Amino acid sequence: MKTFSVIDEAPTSRFHRKLLLACCGGPFLDGYVLSIIGVAMVGIKDDLQPSSAEVGLIGAASLIGIFFGATLFGALTDRIGREKMYALDLTVLVVACVGCIFVQNAWQLIALRLIIGLAIGADYPIATSLLTEFTPSRKRGFMIGLTGVSWSVGAATAYIVGALIVGATGGHQDWRIMLGTAAAMGIIVVIARRGIPESPRWLLNKGRVAEAEAVIEQIYGHKVDLTTEEPETQKSSFVDILRGGYLKRTIMCGTLYLAQITPQYAMLTFLPVILAGFSVSDTGSAGLVVETVIIALFAVGTIPALRWVETIGRRKMTIVPFAIMAMPLLVLWLVPNAPIWVVVVTFCVYAFASGGPSILEWIYPNELFPTQIRATAVGAAVGISRIGAAAGTYLLPISIDHFGIGTTMGFGALLTLVGLAVCYAWAPETAGKTLEQTSSIGTKSAAAAPLAQPARVD
């Protein structure tokens, strides 16, 4: 729609910065909540004396919640709107985090962690869809990509806060306070989201023309006439992302997310165990340094990727990093007895290269689907990724015990190569295009085109 050129061509404003900060709050809380439980687990075990099964469920409950929250509430968001769900989901998270301060047994904590996961899962499609639909075309990849970076910042913040509490109290006995700190973070995000209006694209799609015009005038200072547009006001359905050309896009986005996040979550959870399998941890304190560097590189790799997705392009920044990521895992599979320096370098290369797919897993689902099913598609991609995250985290130690560390790395390499193949076949170039262009299904598939040169970003 040419009418939305006022949004697509707008300069970055104070509103965009506020919206970006508010939308990054959800992924930040995801990283924070998933990480703070690891710091608190020592105190939880000492205090509640949970069984092995209960310990596993305490760790997995939020992942299960994210799966259902993303898939169910993504579709609901397309039906009732982004704004209505925008603050409600994190309000639920705040209440559940406060509840963690008062738990008396493992099952209460499991239930609350499940609710927290539902709220976080719901926020992924809500916040990223709203951000996408307000963001100028030339900055869209960068701004959506920042939501992925905020996850890493949240995870790092959780470890810092946990360490400060342990240092101040001399132990892990205040684990309830650790978990409750997520409520304070959530309140800040909820406050930041006040005053952000409904997406004008969604309003027009639902036939609420006057409201869409009012939002555009409020935010951009331009009066527009949307009465000549012919919005598609039909109800959206989850099956819409599985129809026609959108089925390929759903498979591509889900595979991209799955192939990137499954090995990453497993590494983040069991990195000391993995490195011990290669005798890296036997080097004493140096082992801790190596672990810290590798974890940091997962975040560092996303920083240049934020720029490259706009200058080099989405498609190249998906395919090339996947090819690079597969090589270190293949080396570790074929040469499990490699020198320690080779092992360290391979993990560092993998972690840094993962920055491209880490950014694109947020960008592609928001760009490749139209307004009426955008949140549904994002929710489905997130849901698929959490299946991989949970499965990879659960199966990795079992695989190491039964097949050895080398073969386990081989499984990761094969999954990465599957992601490479699917993205090579179906990932299109969307840099520099409007949402109407990126989400349309043309007669000629953009995915089949060669590695296109994106529009220049000055």
Side-chain angles (χ1 to χ4, degrees):
M1 299 179 186
K2 293 182 179 180
T3 305
F4 284 126
S5 61
V6 67
I7 297 177
D8 295 327
E9 299 172 8
T12 304
S13 65
R14 180 179 179 182
F15 168 77
H16 289 114
R17 290 189 288 271
K18 176 183 178 180
L19 177 64
L20 177 62
L21 179 64
C23 290
C24 285
F28 175 91
L29 287 170
D30 181 13
Y32 190 92
V33 168
L34 291 178
S35 299
I36 197 68
I37 193 68
V39 183
M41 190 62 74
V42 175
I44 293 171
K45 289 181 178 180
D46 291 340
D47 193 355
L48 301 183
Q49 298 292 313
S51 66
S52 298
E54 289 170 340
V55 170
L57 286 172
I58 290 171
S62 57
L63 287 173
I64 297 170
I66 291 172
F67 167 76
F68 286 105
T71 52
L72 296 177
F73 290 104
L76 182 62
T77 297
D78 281 327
R79 287 177 175 269
I80 70 173
R82 285 73 162 118
E83 184 189 19
K84 289 181 180 179
M85 300 287 293
Y86 195 45
L88 177 61
D89 62 324
L90 292 189
T91 301
V92 172
L93 179 143
V94 169
V95 173
C97 289
V98 171
C100 291
I101 300 174
F102 304 100
V103 296
Q104 297 300 316
N105 60 64
W107 283 103
Q108 290 176 355
L109 183 56
I110 291 168
L112 288 170
R113 294 285 297 177
L114 180 65
I115 294 171
I116 290 170
L118 285 169
I120 292 174
D123 196 69
Y124 277 108
I126 297 168
T128 58
S129 294
L130 193 60
L131 179 63
T132 300
E133 290 162 12
F134 270 114
T135 303
S137 296
R138 65 196 300 271
K139 290 290 187 179
R140 191 172 60 239
F142 176 83
M143 295 179 73
I144 299 174
L146 275 175
T147 60
V149 176
S150 66
W151 189 99
S152 298
V153 175
T157 303
Y159 278 98
I160 294 172
V161 171
L164 290 174
I165 293 175
V166 171
T169 61
H172 292 76
Q173 64 272 14
D174 287 331
W175 60 268
R176 291 180 176 85
I177 301 300
M178 291 184 196
L179 299 183
T181 55
M185 306 285 183
I187 290 172
I188 294 173
V189 178
V190 171
I191 293 174
R193 292 183 172 187
R194 294 182 62 186
I196 294 176
E198 180 59 85
S199 161
R201 296 178 189 271
W202 183 87
L203 289 169
L204 181 61
N205 184 261
K206 296 302 180 182
R208 295 159 60 176
V209 178
E211 294 175 69
E213 292 174 343
V215 170
I216 292 176
E217 184 175 3
Q218 172 193 347
I219 301 301
Y220 301 97
H222 294 280
K223 288 187 177 182
V224 295
D225 182 8
L226 301 180
T227 56
T228 57
E229 301 291 346
E230 297 181 1
E232 298 179 1
T233 58
Q234 75 273 18
K235 292 183 178 180
S236 60
S237 170
F238 185 87
V239 297
D240 290 338
I241 65 173
L242 306 177
R243 292 173 175 165
Y246 291 118
L247 174 59
K248 285 185 178 180
R249 295 186 174 191
T250 299
I251 294 172
M252 189 277 292
C253 291
T255 303
L256 163 63
Y257 219 146
L258 182 74
Q260 189 279 324
I261 208 168
T262 301
Q264 179 175 337
Y265 262 57
M267 287 184 190
L268 291 175
T269 304
F270 295 108
L271 185 58
V273 176
I274 296 171
L275 293 177
F278 291 104
S279 301
V280 174
S281 295
D282 293 346
T283 57
S285 60
L288 180 59
V289 174
V290 170
E291 294 166 17
T292 303
V293 170
I294 293 173
I295 294 296
L297 284 172
F298 277 107
V300 171
T302 62
I303 297 174
L306 289 172
R307 176 68 177 174
W308 292 338
V309 293
E310 299 289 11
T311 57
I312 297 177
R314 315 310 199 229
R315 181 168 163 83
K316 287 181 180 178
M317 282 305 298
T318 305
I319 295 172
V320 175
F322 263 141
I324 295 173
M325 291 160 63
M327 290 188 286
L329 297 179
L330 288 170
V331 170
L332 294 173
W333 177 21
L334 299 174
V335 193
N337 296 319
I340 289 178
W341 72 268
V342 173
V343 175
V344 172
V345 169
T346 54
F347 276 112
C348 288
V349 170
Y350 179 92
F352 184 82
S354 70
S358 292
I359 296 300
L360 268 301
E361 68 194 22
W362 297 81
I363 297 173
Y364 264 142
N366 280 289
E367 289 187 331
L368 295 180
F369 297 86
T371 301
Q372 63 267 26
I373 56 172
R374 179 168 292 119
T376 303
V378 174
V382 172
I384 293 171
S385 76
R386 283 339 185 243
I387 293 175
T393 302
Y394 175 74
L395 293 175
L396 186 136
I398 297 175
S399 177
I400 292 176
D401 289 341
H402 285 76
F403 302 106
I405 189 67
T407 302
T408 300
M409 294 298 102
F411 292 147
L414 292 175
L415 179 59
T416 303
L417 289 172
V418 169
L420 170 63
V422 172
C423 289
Y424 184 84
W426 291 336
E429 182 53 69
T430 58
K433 299 179 181 179
T434 67
L435 283 179
E436 286 67 41
Q437 292 171 330
T438 63
S439 62
S440 65
I441 300 292
T443 56
K444 183 177 180 179
S445 172
L451 299 181
Q453 179 63 36
R456 177 172 175 162
V457 178
D458 296 323

